[in-house]
Amino acid sequence: MVKFLCWSGHRTIWAALYTNLWYWLPSPDQFQGRYLSTGGGGFAITSGEIDLSSGLVFGAASGTTDGGFGGWDAMLTDVVLPANGTIDWDILINFGYRSIHEMTVIGQAFTKSFYNSSSLYSYYQACSEGGREGWSQIQRYTSLYAISFGTQFDGAAIGAPAFRMPFQQVIHLFSAVVETTNNYAPCPCELEEIRNDTITACDGLDGRVDGVVGRTDLCRLQYNASSSVGSSYSCATARGFPAANGTVTPQAAQIAEEIYAGLFDSEGRQAYISFQPAASFSDAAPSYNATTNEYYASASVQWVNYFLNNVASTALSLGNITYNTLRDWMYQGMQQYRDTVLTTWPDLTDFSNAGGKVIHFHGESDSSIPPASYAALQEFYRLFLIPGADHCAPSSTQPNGPFPQNVLESVINWVELGIIPEQLNATVLAGTTTDLNQTVCSFPLRPYWSDISTMECVFDQASYDTWVPDLNSFPMPVY
Ligand SMILES: [Ca+2]
């Protein structure tokens, strides 16, 4: 294996003088005619060498880029505001789509040259922001390539993408605004009790009692957090919060229900989706005033300050923020960033015609990016909702849930061997059934266990309808 570091010539105005590219190459006897691009997470465009190793297993030369941010540890937020009030659009375009593209084109040519290989299968793999970066390539760099070269990537393994970033960032404020609107900030222990009750109540809706809510859609239809009112909770001191005990209040149940329901404007029109029942209430975590012994709502506000107000500050009062404010911030972000980080160009005809394939997976209990509202385009695109899983990882609260370990391999088998991933292989990584292999249904089919060891993939319209809400707060389609 050779670790190779080089740079491409794209200059940014003020921050970095060049963009760093980093490629890992398998030894020639292990090279299998493949190239892999990888991405980042959060506001990072790279995951560094951690992801580069994932390609070597499949004999793929693998690449990552620092986006011209000035180093491998630099974040977009470190460089996107050269001064308050000014966005560096050049660096934002790097983040949005250009740097991954340049790294890929150079990486493909470099790989062909290095191994003296005339043909190459090209892949992409990443999760979260990295998933958005993958979609940016599929959506943007196919038409041109389809005419004469085919698609930029033959296949992509994409997890929980932040591809509707201007919405998904704002929804991180939603749980706290639900609390301020209801004038009550539950201690984390109280909401955890509601979550545990939700898991207990909804576990069996998938036909099997295993501590995993495999049907959050049925849970949404059949469960109400008001059932938790009066349940006792007790937590030791943890994470800066004092020990707490009590019983679940109607206010906390109301807050949980509003968070599950999603964002609605003052006229009752839905603006955005939220997390599925059984997901953790991590966005609802309050702050604690040790002097007054009071909890108060708080939230991360990096997106609003940096990208909507263009101020490098993390301070933002929740005091005057309403549901309509959140809705308006989403609309502002949709307008302002529709050609950079809003990565939802809906027409993938050229990608499909060129033979491209995508496997997209998303934890059903994702507490960072809501999993709803993806279309199913089965010929070239498969969506797998992972029962019980959190954001790009298994959930510690539903440890018997499986998590996919070989998504890239399934993509490779689909592209190179024509093996259609009717179901996705996944493995239980913790809990009482560690190492148990399971399969995951391809959406819109949903799991139902007819007995303890037999899972069927079924469809029912009422469940499906919960995944495709009408976001009619906006006067135009939200892609
Ligand atoms: Ca279950």
Side-chain angles (χ1 to χ4, degrees):
M1 180 193 73
V2 177
K3 294 182 184 179
F4 189 88
L5 187 66
C6 69
W7 54 272
S8 69
H10 185 76
R11 294 176 66 94
T12 59
I13 295 171
W14 67 279
L17 294 179
Y18 49 81
T19 297
N20 289 301
L21 304 176
W22 192 358
Y23 299 103
W24 279 19
L25 308 174
S27 61
D29 62 309
Q30 294 177 339
F31 178 66
Q32 296 182 53
R34 298 177 182 132
Y35 169 79
L36 175 73
S37 278
T38 65
F43 287 119
I45 197 170
T46 177
S47 300
E49 58 190 320
I50 292 173
D51 279 4
L52 290 180
S53 61
S54 64
L56 297 183
V57 179
F58 300 102
S62 306
T64 189
T65 173
D66 77 349
F69 298 176
W72 295 103
D73 296 326
M75 301 281 173
L76 174 66
T77 41
D78 296 332
V79 292
V80 75
L81 294 177
N84 284 344
T86 301
I87 286 219
D88 184 341
W89 288 100
D90 212 29
I91 208 82
L92 191 69
I93 289 170
N94 275 8
F95 185 77
Y97 52 87
R98 183 168 54 197
S99 287
I100 298 284
H101 172 62
E102 290 181 345
M103 174 257 291
T104 301
V105 171
I106 292 170
Q108 289 168 335
F110 175 56
T111 303
K112 283 183 179 176
S113 175
F114 186 85
Y115 296 102
N116 193 25
S117 174
S118 58
S119 64
L120 198 64
Y121 284 111
S122 289
Y123 297 97
Y124 183 87
Q125 174 171 256
C127 200
S128 194
E129 158 58 22
R132 185 203 65 75
E133 291 158 12
W135 276 119
S136 79
Q137 305 303 297
I138 292 163
Q139 294 168 11
R140 186 174 287 267
Y141 295 110
T142 297
S143 302
L144 174 66
Y145 279 74
I147 293 168
S148 53
F149 302 113
T151 174
Q152 178 174 301
F153 290 120
D154 298 294
I158 291 181
F163 59 0
R164 208 180 277 131
M165 183 183 284
F167 291 75
Q168 290 158 342
Q169 286 288 341
V170 172
I171 209 69
H172 278 310
L173 295 165
F174 173 55
S175 297
V177 174
V178 171
E179 292 174 344
T180 57
T181 303
N182 283 278
N183 199 28
Y184 181 63
C187 70
C189 194
E190 190 173 7
L191 286 177
E192 282 171 18
E193 175 61 27
I194 294 175
R195 184 196 187 195
N196 292 338
D197 285 351
T198 305
I199 292 172
T200 301
C202 294
D203 182 355
L205 295 177
D206 57 21
R208 187 171 74 163
V209 177
D210 57 353
V212 178
V213 182
R215 293 296 299 274
T216 59
D217 40 25
L218 292 176
C219 189
R220 182 179 288 283
L221 290 168
Q222 299 182 24
Y223 181 74
N224 192 299
S226 62
S227 301
S228 274
V229 174
S231 292
S232 297
Y233 61 83
S234 179
C235 295
T237 301
R239 294 171 292 171
F241 296 110
N245 59 74
T247 56
V248 172
T249 59
Q251 298 99 307
Q254 172 68 21
I255 286 166
E257 274 300 306
E258 287 194 32
I259 291 171
Y260 287 154
L263 175 62
F264 289 79
D265 65 22
S266 58
E267 296 183 47
R269 300 172 301 196
Q270 188 164 5
Y272 205 54
I273 55 178
S274 183
F275 310 109
Q276 292 294 108
S280 85
F281 291 101
S282 51
D283 277 356
S287 293
Y288 178 70
N289 185 327
T291 304
T292 62
N293 294 324
E294 288 178 331
Y295 296 91
Y296 58 96
S298 66
S300 167
V301 291
Q302 213 167 16
W303 169 264
V304 172
N305 279 329
Y306 278 70
F307 294 90
L308 301 184
N309 297 330
N310 303 150
V311 176
S313 166
T314 56
L316 183 71
S317 168
L318 291 170
N320 296 317
I321 297 173
T322 66
Y323 299 146
N324 282 5
T325 312
L326 299 181
R327 180 258 184 219
D328 291 345
W329 280 341
M330 289 175 176
Y331 198 69
Q332 179 187 345
M334 181 163 60
Q335 285 188 314
Q336 201 165 334
Y337 296 107
R338 67 189 185 280
D339 60 347
T340 49
V341 296
L342 179 61
T343 310
T344 54
W345 184 263
D347 179 11
L348 302 178
T349 306
D350 289 334
F351 178 77
S352 173
N353 287 344
K357 302 283 188 283
V358 178
I359 291 181
H360 174 167
F361 66 96
H362 205 126
E364 194 155 337
S365 289
D366 192 316
S367 60
S368 183
I369 295 177
S373 75
Y374 302 135
L377 310 164
Q378 304 279 320
E379 291 299 313
F380 71 99
Y381 166 87
R382 296 273 169 159
L383 169 63
F384 297 93
L385 296 176
I386 312 303
D390 205 327
H391 185 59
C392 299
S395 164
S396 58
T397 314
Q398 300 175 69
N400 288 325
F403 201 76
Q405 301 297 293
N406 302 301
V407 182
L408 180 58
E409 184 176 17
S410 295
V411 172
I412 289 172
N413 288 339
W414 195 4
V415 167
E416 298 181 18
L417 303 176
I419 299 173
I420 297 170
E422 301 290 354
Q423 297 185 13
L424 189 65
N425 291 319
T427 307
V428 179
L429 301 175
T432 57
T433 55
T434 300
D435 295 334
L436 183 71
N437 290 315
Q438 295 188 6
T439 56
V440 178
C441 299
S442 175
F443 189 84
L445 299 181
R446 311 275 24 241
Y448 185 77
W449 296 82
S450 52
D451 62 53
I452 193 70
S453 59
T454 309
M455 185 192 74
E456 301 168 46
C457 294
V458 300
F459 178 84
D460 71 85
Q461 190 66 46
S463 291
Y464 175 77
D465 289 346
T466 68
W467 295 102
V468 286
D470 178 15
L471 303 180
N472 59 354
S473 180
F474 299 100
M476 57 187 284
V478 175
Y479 292 116

